[in-house]
Each structure stands twice: as C-alpha cells, then as structure tokens.
C-alpha cells in the first residue's frame, strides 16, 4: 500500500433524502448523513469525525441509533445486494459489528430502520416495487420474520418500535397505518384500519400506547392502541413580520452588485400554500411537528378536551452571512430530533441545511415565536462547480449551482464570507493575496473584492458562461475561458493582454506554471496544450481524441502534466507525449491534484471516493482509497503547505483532509509559513463606524454624568433607610424577646398538661388490663373442660378403628393370592408375543434412525427457539411463585396485626371525635377573629398603596426635571466654548484628538474587561446551576427523612399497649428528628430567602409606621371623648349629691310634720272632751286644712324620691355595661324633678 494517507478533518455537507438523517449520540454530539456515509459534529468543541461506509457504496439511505446510543445501523445503496451495517459507537473509532443481508428481500435498499428498546432487534422497511417489513436478531444475524406490506404509491415512509415493548412495531406510509406484534416466529397485524386511507408521512410514539401521525394534507392523528383518539387540522403558517420585512428589504438590491430576476422555482414555492406534516418527534412534554416550510410547532399535553395544545412556533432564520441574498425558497423540514436531556433540538431541511434550537428551561423564558440557529454554517445545497485556494491566507473559495459563493477557513474550519447572487456560479478563482476573487456567471465574469464582512463587485467583464478561470501565481494576471478561447487579463489595468486560440472543444481546466511564463489547458476533444504567454502560441500539444479530459494538474517543476478523463486512466504527460498511464480499475477519474513537493498525487472518482498515491506513479493497485462523497468529485486542490487536501462534489459536500505520510506522521515543511492578517474594508464603512464611535463617546459621557447623579441619590436614600431599619430592628428584637418569654411559659404549661393526661391514660390502661386478665382466665377454664371431653371420645374411636383394620388385612391377603396365580399365566403368554415384537422392532429401528437424523437436523433450530422461550417463562414463573409465597406470608402477618390495630383504632377514634368537637368550637371562634383582622388589614393596605403611587409619580417628575436641568447646563457650556477664538479651537481640537486616541485605547481595555466579566457571569451561572442541584438533593434528603420518620412512627405505634416503651419511643423520635430539623433549618438559610425577607420586612415596617400614626390620631380623638364624658359624669354626680341632700331635708321635714300631727291630734282630743261649744272658732278649722295639705305634700315628695332612686339604679347599670371610651353616658331626665319642685 501507498505511504501517502489522508484523514477527514472537517465535513461541510448534508445528504437530505435519508430517513433519520439527524440524531444525537450524546448531549452535544450530533450524527448526520454527509457524503457517502455519516459525520459526527460536536456543538461545543466544534470538531468533526467521519464514519466511512462500505466499499462501492453509493450513499446512505437510512440511519437508526439504539436507545442507549451504543449502536448505529446504516442502510446503504449498493449495486450488488441490499446491506445493513451495524456499528458499535465506542470512545475510539466506530467498530463494524455485523453486516445483515437476506435473499428474501427483493428491494435494493432499506427505506427506514429502527432498533428495539433493548437494542437486540432491528426492523427494516424496504421501498418499492415490493414493500416489505423484516425483523432481525442482529447480533446472531438471524432473520426472524418477513411480512409484505402491500403499500401503494410511494410506499413506506417510516417504521418504529414501541418505546417499552420489544415485540410491537408501527409502520406508516401512503394509504396505510399498521401495528404489528412479533409472536411465535411471525409478525401479526393487531389493528384494523378504519375510515378513509391517508398518506401518512411520519409518526412518533408518545407513550406505550399513543402514536401521533402526520399526513400530506396537514392533519395530525392521535391513535391509542390502534384506534383514533384525537385529530387536528394544522393551518398553513406564514412567516412572522420580522422575517417578512427582512425579505422585502433584501429584495431591493443595487444593480452594481447583482442583476436579473428571481427563478420560477422560488415563485412556485411561495404560491404553494398547502400544509403537510413532513416531520414529527416526541419529547417529554408532548411533540414537535413541521406543518409548513421553515417552521416547527411545539405541542404540549393538557387535561382539557383538546389533548395536545400548541405552545410555540420556531422559524428558520435568514442567512446571517450574506448582505445581498435572493429571497429564500421553500425549505421543508424533513427530520426533527431532541438531545437526551431535551435541552436542544436539531432539524434538517430539503435544502441540505442543519439548524439547532436551544429549548427554554422554564415557561417564563418561552416566546410565542422563536428562531433556529445554524448547527455549524450555511451549507451548499447544489453541485459545487468551483474550488480554489490562495497563498497568503488559509482560505478556500467555493461556488455552486445554488447561486452562492462562499469563503472557508481550513485552519479554523469556519465560514468567513458567504453571498448569494441571482445567477448560477460556474467557476471561482482566488487571488494569491486572498483579497480578491473571480467568479464566472452565466452573463458576466465578475472581479470581486473580499471585504471584512462582505463581497463587493469591483469590475464586470463581458465573458459569458465562464466555466474556468485562474489567477497567475504572481497575481498580476488572470485567465478566463470564453467558449474555446482563453483570454488573459491584467489585474492592474483590467485590459485584455492576450487571447489563446486553438481548442476545438470546451476547455475544462487552465493551470499556470511556477514562473507565470506558461499556461496549460485541456478540453473535451482530448487535447492538452502548453501556451507561451509572451508569443501567445502553443509550444507543446498532446491530443487523444478517444478521451474527454475533465481535469489536469502540474508537477512542481511545470514539466510534467497529470491528466484524467473518461478513459478510466491517470496519464503522466511530458514532452508532447503520454509517458505513463495508471488504470482506474473500473472507475472514472474526475479530478486530480498534485502536492507542491511533487511526491504525492490525489485523484477523485465518479463514485465520490478519493485516492492517494505516491509519485512516481505505481503500475499496480498501490494506493489508499477513502469513502467520501456521494456524487462525483468535481474539484480538488492541495494547500500551499501540503498539509491539507480540499475536495468538492456534485452532492454539495466539502471535505477538508489532513495529509499524512510514513505511518501517520503529519508532513512538515522546512520553513513554517506565516499567513497574512490584512483585511479589505470600504471607506464608507470606516466613516460610518467613526461616526458611530463619536456618537457612542458622547452617549458614554452623558451616561456617566447621569449615573453619578443617580448614585448620589441612591446613597442618600440608602443612608436614610439604614437608620430607619436600625430603629425598627431594635424594636422588633425587644418584641421578639417578649414573645419568646411568653412562648416559654406556654410551653411549660403544655408540658404540665401532657403529664397529667399521661397519668390518666396510664390508670385507664391498668384497669383495662385487669379486666382482660379476668376474662381470659374464665375462658381458659371453659376450654380445659372441653379438652378433657374430647380426649375421652378420641380413645373410643381408636379402639373401633383398630378392629376394622384387622378384618381388612385378612381379606386383602386372600385376594392377593388369587391375583398372583391369574397373572402368572398371562405373563407366560405375553413373553412369547414380546420376542416376536422385538424382531420387528429391530428392523423398524434401522429405518427410524435414518429418519430421525434428518428430522433432528431440521428441528434443532426450532427446539432452541422453543427452549429459550420456555426457559424464560419458567424463570419468570418461578420468580413470580417465590414472590407470591413471600407476599402470602407477609399478608397473613399483616392480617393479624391489622385485627389488633382495628380494636385499638376504634377506641382512639372515639377519643379523637370528642377532641374534634372541642377543637371545632375553638376554630370557629378563631375564624371570626381572623376575618375581622383581615378586613382591617385590607383597608390599611389600600391607603398605603395610594400614598406610594403618589410618591412614585412625584419622584418621576423630579427625575425628568433634573435631566432637563442637566441638558440645559450642558448646552450653556457648549455655547461658552464656541465664544473662544479659532486659534484656541485648533489647539483644543489637537488635544481632543490625542484624548480620543487614549479613550479608544481605554475602550478597547474596557471591552476586554467586559469580556472577562461575561466569563465571570457565565461561571456564576454554572455556580447557580450547582446550587440548584444541591437544593434538589436537599429535597430528596428531606423526603427520605420523612419516610424514615413514618417507619419509626409506625414501629413506635406498635408499643401502644406498653406505655413505657411508647414513652421511650416518642423521646427517641423527638431527639432524633426534631432537634436535627431545628439544626438543619438554622443552617439552611439561603441568601435569596434573606433578601426576600428583607424586602417584605421593609414593606411591613412602612405599614406599621402608617398604622402607628393612625393609632396616635385615634388615641387623641378617644382622649377628647373620654375627657368630655368625664366632665358630664362629674356634673351628674354633683346633681345626684344635691338630690341626696334634698332627700335628707325632706326626710327631716316629714319627721317634724309627723310629730306635729301627733301633738295636734292629742290637743284635739282634749278639746273634744271639753263640753263648751264656745271655744270652737275659725282658727281650728284653718289648722285642720293645713294638716291635710302637709300630708299631701309628704306623699308627693315620697313618690318623687322613689322615682329618683329608680333612675339612679338604671343609670348605674348602664355605666357598668358600657365602657367610657366607646360611648357617651346618657343624660339624666330631670325634667320631672324640676317640675315637681316647681309644683
């Protein structure tokens, strides 16, 4: 084998028509179909790995990765027979484990593949003409079952296993949805298709029983166990306003850059507005599907009638690397996959593009419409027609029939520039400096400047359909093919200096000699010419009409030409003749490249393979061949340092190869080559950026002043807040101390109550134990009596049974003797028959053994399968029997314990019911108090909020006025500066220029500091993620602790009859869990919780201050009312005292009057005894009238006194019932007393 070797360093391309063409191998490792096989790409570390396919493979048709991401199945298109290859994805290069082939499959390729959940089985669906389903036990290469699907139209679209059942398979396609189950060596259909047949394009398993399917008419069907559960029509989606505005703006393209009209392809795609579900993928919350070009819809599961609801739209982005693109055509999304943790989603499109979207971690970050990002870079979507490298920079330029030109960096594996045009690009050439390029279009040849972020068309040349162009090694000339003529132009004056005529066919390649004095070309009529540029004539020619040349390459000394063409040979041409020919071994060579050292030759074939060989060329098959592209290699080139080989193909893929030699050693040059770092930029761009810099500097100054002022204000407010907080905290500390003392006292009281309750329970328990002992003793005595009676009965029964046994033995002996005589006679007869049968058996055994050998060979395989099945069943049944026996024993124990617990629980329930009634009464009273307090709190919070809004409005007005003041001060300073003379202005401007330069340097430093800050913030983010993980771990620990506590509590309840053990168990529980929890709660105070606590505390302190002010005002009003009531009380007391004095006076008057009445009565009796009538006179009559009046007055006064006493008692009762602060004392109704006094 050749000592020259190559290894893929980077792969830029995607093969769209592959089932399961994109999948995740790890969280950040993506596998996708590229070229003729697969490529791995790491999204963080940005490295590529290529997994080559089988020999003579024409590309991948289907991919599948096992659930554990350990195995990869690949279906490849081949000429000989269909083949499925299974790789083991280890840490090193993938290992090829098995290659599955089967003569039963008539199709050339498998359209869809799927692994079973355990990775043991592999199912494959083949395409037309006969759609079939095949199931393998792939590790043993056994084809277990094959079923014909009878699929019409385009055939099978997708096949998959159930996520939890190894025997259940789902297949969908045009007109059918089928579920199969593997049992007894066959695949049996388990569902019946109902309704109209649909064209099912894709499906995904949402659970063990649910499958979501998408159709070509934009419908989603949800099947559960094969029956339709839910369906939905998805509407055609149009791009959001942002993308539409971007497209409209990009339609207005200047005529200097591009010209022409959009293609009919794009117009047709825009008019086509029929929705179709082209891809579906399931994830934990629901599923994702694509219903329209360029959009993915996320559906999440709900508990409503509509089982799944749309939650988010994700759109493909506009091209970020282009400034003047054409409008995007139709990009149908054909594959969707999620990462193992569902943090990222990757999709592939029909335009050979790969996109990635990072899923939002929470619902708060989720937006209605989001956008994808490119997985690595925008890729070519059509055949690559041109490829070229330069000397001064590590870049390579490519052009394609997708109307784009791209500039790649093969050192960093990145895309530096990308631009789309209106016409197809046929050829590209890079200037040796790497600052300019030539691109050949259908109407013109354009000289383009490669700017920092754009491509600028500098000059147009009237060269139509230029298929080849090339710069000279010195960069002062370039050659362009115009039909059959090679035109030479100057790069400085852009004049046509020479025209090389002589080719009769289409020119396929143009190469320059090392000193740029000669030019070499080849055409389709088998001619290879050497041109002298000074004379414009041919110096050397080699014509072979039977060969159509496709490419040539020059040796480093420019004397040897390597040419490839349609005759399947590599030719070495020198001195106008073919010196050497190397056969291609049934393959057509399409491209050739030679290293600058001249000792390595690389050839591309029509199958897409790359061959590396050593110079001088070998006669035999001495080369290394590598699987790469799925189409013919169109262009290839070796870099100036001979370290990289670059190849491009018709399938739109680009490969960067690292060149090795001598057992894997990288080639090294004698001198290390330094690449240029200069970049072109337009003057207008510099001016725009300088203006932006000036605006930003002014803005920075303004922001600095504003920030300084705001910082001062914040400092002032912070100092005031700190003082207020110190005061409030000291008050709260005192209140908390008082509360602590109160709680300690309550705790002591509760402990005393618990001790009393325990003593009562112990006494009750002792009484119950005594009663139970007495009952059990009585039961034991009764059972002893029964036992003695049973013993007597059993002795009688034994005697009777012994007699019966003796009689039976005698009868048995007689029957035995008779039977022996009868059977001995029969034995003699049978022995004779046996001898005859043995001779027949010997003859039959010989024939039987021959048949047996044939049967055993046929049935061995079936026996092994049956044996495996029944052994599994035996093991499962034994395990289940053991489990059932253990469960029966456990259940018996539980029954006994539960019966005991039932009795105990019944007594506890009665006690608890009594306690519940008491507690319900307490709860009702407390709820009333709470409702009253809540109403008071709501009223006070409303007043506080209104005041805070007013304060906030005032602060806003104040800030606006301060900003206005700042602007006015700034303008005053500017006007003062303008008053100064021009000479001072010139000096100031010079100083300002120096300052600006310094500030620029400072800004650069600040930018670097900001980048460092960003990295620090990212580290903080990681730290927060770690803290989150810790918190989750704490949660799990707490749950485990709760489980342990429940188990210990259950064990403790088992000692409920033994009060000492129960008490000890409760103490252990308290010491074990309560103290630990208190310590844990003290330690697990989080900073975020403290901040939240401080914020709430400030809010409550403000409320408390407002409530205190309100309380002071209420207290003042209550104090005034209190003083007024006291004054009224004093006046009333004075009136009561006066009335009491009047009562005493009235009593004395009554007493005097009564004594006077007695005296008058005595005197009257004496006078009546006197016989004389003369003594009677008018004064006596007057006295009698006076006495009657006095008696009436006394009666009236007594009634008034009684009435006053009743009033005093009533008022005294009213004063006791009503407090002084909450009501006014009613005034005494003394009108009656005044009236009586007047009377």
């Amino acid at each position: 084998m050749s000592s020259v070797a190559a290894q893929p360093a980077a792969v830029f391309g995607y093969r769209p028509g592959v089932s399961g063409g994109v999948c995740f191998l790890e969280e950040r490792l993506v596998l996708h179909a590229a070229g003729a096989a697969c490529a791995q790409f790491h999204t963080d570390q940005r490295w590529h790995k290529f997994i080559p396919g089988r020999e003579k493979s024409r590309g991948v048709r289907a991919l599948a990765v096992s659930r554990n991401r350990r195995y990869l199945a690949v279906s490849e298109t081949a000429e000989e027979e269909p083949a499925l290859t299974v790789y083991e994805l280890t840490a090193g290069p993938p290992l090829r484990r098995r290659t599955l082939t089967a003569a039963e499959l008539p199709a050339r390729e498998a359209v869809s593949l799927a692994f079973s959940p355990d990775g043991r089985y592999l199912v494959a669906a083949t395409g037309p003409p006969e759609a079939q389903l095949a199931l393998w036990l792939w590790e043993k290469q056994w084809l277990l079952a094959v079923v014909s699907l009878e699929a019409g139209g385009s055939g099978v679209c997708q096949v998959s296993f159930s996520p939890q059942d190894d025997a259940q398979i789902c297949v969908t396609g045009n007109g059918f949805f089928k579920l199969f189950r593997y049992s007894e060596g066959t695949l049996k259909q388990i569902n019946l298709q109902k309704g109209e047949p649909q064209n099912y394009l894709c499906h995904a398993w949402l659970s063990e029983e649910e499958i979501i399917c998408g159709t070509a008419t934009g419908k989603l069907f949800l099947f559960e166990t094969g029956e339709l559960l839910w369906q939905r029509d998805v509407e055609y989606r149009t791009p959001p306003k942002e993308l539409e505005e971007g497209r409209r703006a990009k339609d207005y393209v200047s005529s200097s850059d591009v010209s022409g009209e959009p293609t009919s392809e794009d117009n047709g795609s825009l008019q086509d507005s029929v929705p179709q579900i082209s891809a579906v993928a399931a994830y934990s919350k629901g599923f994702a599907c694509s219903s329209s070009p360029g959009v993915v819809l996320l559906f999440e599961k709900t508990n409503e009638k509509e089982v799944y609801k749309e939650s988010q739209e994700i759109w493909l982005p506009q091209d970020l690397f282009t400034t003047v693109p054409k409008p995007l055509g139709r990009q149908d999304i054909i594959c969707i996959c999620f990462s193992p943790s569902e943090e990222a989603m990757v999709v592939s499109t029909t335009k050979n593009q790969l996109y990635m979207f990072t899923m939002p971690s929470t619902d708060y970050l989720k937006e209605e419409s989001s956008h994808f990002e490119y997985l690595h870079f925008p890729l070519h979507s059509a055949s690559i027609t041109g490829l070229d490298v330069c000397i001064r920079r590590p870049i390579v330029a490519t052009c394609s029939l997708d109307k784009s030109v791209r500039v790649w960096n093969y050192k960093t594996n990145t895309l530096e520039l990308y631009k789309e045009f209106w016409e197809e690009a046929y050829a590209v050439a890079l200037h040796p400096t790497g600052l300019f390029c030539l691109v050949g279009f259908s109407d013109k040849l354009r000289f383009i400047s490669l700017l920092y972020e754009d491509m600028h068309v500098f000059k147009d040349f009237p060269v139509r359909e230029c298929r080849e162009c090339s710069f000279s090694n010195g960069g002062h000339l370039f050659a362009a093919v115009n039909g059959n003529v090679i035109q030479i132009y100057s790069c400085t004056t852009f004049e046509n200096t020479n025209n090389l005529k002589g080719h009769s066919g289409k020119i396929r390649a143009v190469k320059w000699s090392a000193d740029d004095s000669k030019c070499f070309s080849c055409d389709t009529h088998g001619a290879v010419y050497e041109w002298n540029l000074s004379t414009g004539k041919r110096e050397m020619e080699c014509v072979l009409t039977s060969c159509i040349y496709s490419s040539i390459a020059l040796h480093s000394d420019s004397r040897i030409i390597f040419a490839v063409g349609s005759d399947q040979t590599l030719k070495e041409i020198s001195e106008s003749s073919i010196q050497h020919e190397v056969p291609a071994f049934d393959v057509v060579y399409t491209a050739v490249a030679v290293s600058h050292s001249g000792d390595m030759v690389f050839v591309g074939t029509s199958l897409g393979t790359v061959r590396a060989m050593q110079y001088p060329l070998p006669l035999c098959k001495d080369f290394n061949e590598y699987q790469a592209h799925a189409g013919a290699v169109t262009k290839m080139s070796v870099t100036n340092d001979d370290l990289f080989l670059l190849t491009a193909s018709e399938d739109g893929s680009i490969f960067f190869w690292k060149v090795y030699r001598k057992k894997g050693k990288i080639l090294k040059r004698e001198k290390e080559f330094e690449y240029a770092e200069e970049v072109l930029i337009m003057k207008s761009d510099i001016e725009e950026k300088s203006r932006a810099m000036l605006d930003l500097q002014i803005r920075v100054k303004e922001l600095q002043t504003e920030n300084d002022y705001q910082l001062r204000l914040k400092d002032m407010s912070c100092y005031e807040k700190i003082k207020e907080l110190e005061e409030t905290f000291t008050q709260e500390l005192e209140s908390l101390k008082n509360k602590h003392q109160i709680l300690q006292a309550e705790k002591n009281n509760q402990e005393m109550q618990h001790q009393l309750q325990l003593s009562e329970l112990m006494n009750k328990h002792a009484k119950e134990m005594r009663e139970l002992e007495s009952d059990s003793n009585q039961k034991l005595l009764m059972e002893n009596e029964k036992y003695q009676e049973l013993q007597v009965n059993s002795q009688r029964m034994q005697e009777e049974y012994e007699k019966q046994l003796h009689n039976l033995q005698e009868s048995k002996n007689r029957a035995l003797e008779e039977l022996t005589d009868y059977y001995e006679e029969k034995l003699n007869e049978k022995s004779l028959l046996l001898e005859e049968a043995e001779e027949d058996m010997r003859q039959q055994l010989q024939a039987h053994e021959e048949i047996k050998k044939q049967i055993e060979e046929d049935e061995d395989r079936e026996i092994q399968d049956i044996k495996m099945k029944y052994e599994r069943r035996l093991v499962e049944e034994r395990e289940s029997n053991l489990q059932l026996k253990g469960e029966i024993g456990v259940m018996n124990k539980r029954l006994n314990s539960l019966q005991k617990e039932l009795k105990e629980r019944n007594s506890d329930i009665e006690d608890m019911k009594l306690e519940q009634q008491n507690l319900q009464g307490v709860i009702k009273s407390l709820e009333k108090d709470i409702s009253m307090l809540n109403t008071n709190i709501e009223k006070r919070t409303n007043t506080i909020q209104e005041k805070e809004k007013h304060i906030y409005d005032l602060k806003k007005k104040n800030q606006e006025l301060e900003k206005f003041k700042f602007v006015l001060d700034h303008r005053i300073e500017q006007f003062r500066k303008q008053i100064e003379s021009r000479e001072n202005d010139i000096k100031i401007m010079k100083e300002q220029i120096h300052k600006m330069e310094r500030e620029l340097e400072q800004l650069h430093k600040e930018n670097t500091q900001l980048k460092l800050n960003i990295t620090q913030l990212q580290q903080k983010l990681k730290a927060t993620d770690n803290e989150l993980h810790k918190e989750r771990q704490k949660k799990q620990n707490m749950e485990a602790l709760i489980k342990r506590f429940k188990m210990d509590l259950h064990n403790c309840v088992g000692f409920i009859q033994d009060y000492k053990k129960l008490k000890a168990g409760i103490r252990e529980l308290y010491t074990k869990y309560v103290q630990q929890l208190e310590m844990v709660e003290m330690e697990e105070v989080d900073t975020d919780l403290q901040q939240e606590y401080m914020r709430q505390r400030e809010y409550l302190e403000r409320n408390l201050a407002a409530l205190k002010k309100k309380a002071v005002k209420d207290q003042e009003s209550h104090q005034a009312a209190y003083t007024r009531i006291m004054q009224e009380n004093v006046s009333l007391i004075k009136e009561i005292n006066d009335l009491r004095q009047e009562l005493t006076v009235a009593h004395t008057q009554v007493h005097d009057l009564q004594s006077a009445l007695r005296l008058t009565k005595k005197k009257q009796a004496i006078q009546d005894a006197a016989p004389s009538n003369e003594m009677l006179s008018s004064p006596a009559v007057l006295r009698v009238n006076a006495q009657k009046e006095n008696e009436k007055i006394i009666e009236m006064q007594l009634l008034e006194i009684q009435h006053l006493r009743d009033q005093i008692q009533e008022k005294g009762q009213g004063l006791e019932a009503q407090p002084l602060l909450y009501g006014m004392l009613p005034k005494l109704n003394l009108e009656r007393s005044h009236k009586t006094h007047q009377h």
Side-chain angles (χ1 to χ4, degrees), residues 713-730:
L713 289 172
K714 283 180 182 177
D715 289 337
M716 295 289 286
S717 64
C718 286
Y719 284 128
E720 291 174 357
K721 284 180 182 177
I722 287 162
K723 288 179 182 178
E724 291 176 357
L725 286 168
E726 285 178 352
E727 293 174 357
T728 53
F729 281 137
T730 51

Side-chain angles (χ1 to χ4, degrees), residues 288 296 314 336-338 343-347 355-357 359 372:
V296 171
I314 308 165
I336 304 171
C337 68
F338 289 92
E343 292 180 0
M345 175 173 60
V346 172
V347 300
Y355 298 95
M356 186 172 75
F357 176 72
M359 301 289 284
F372 283 96

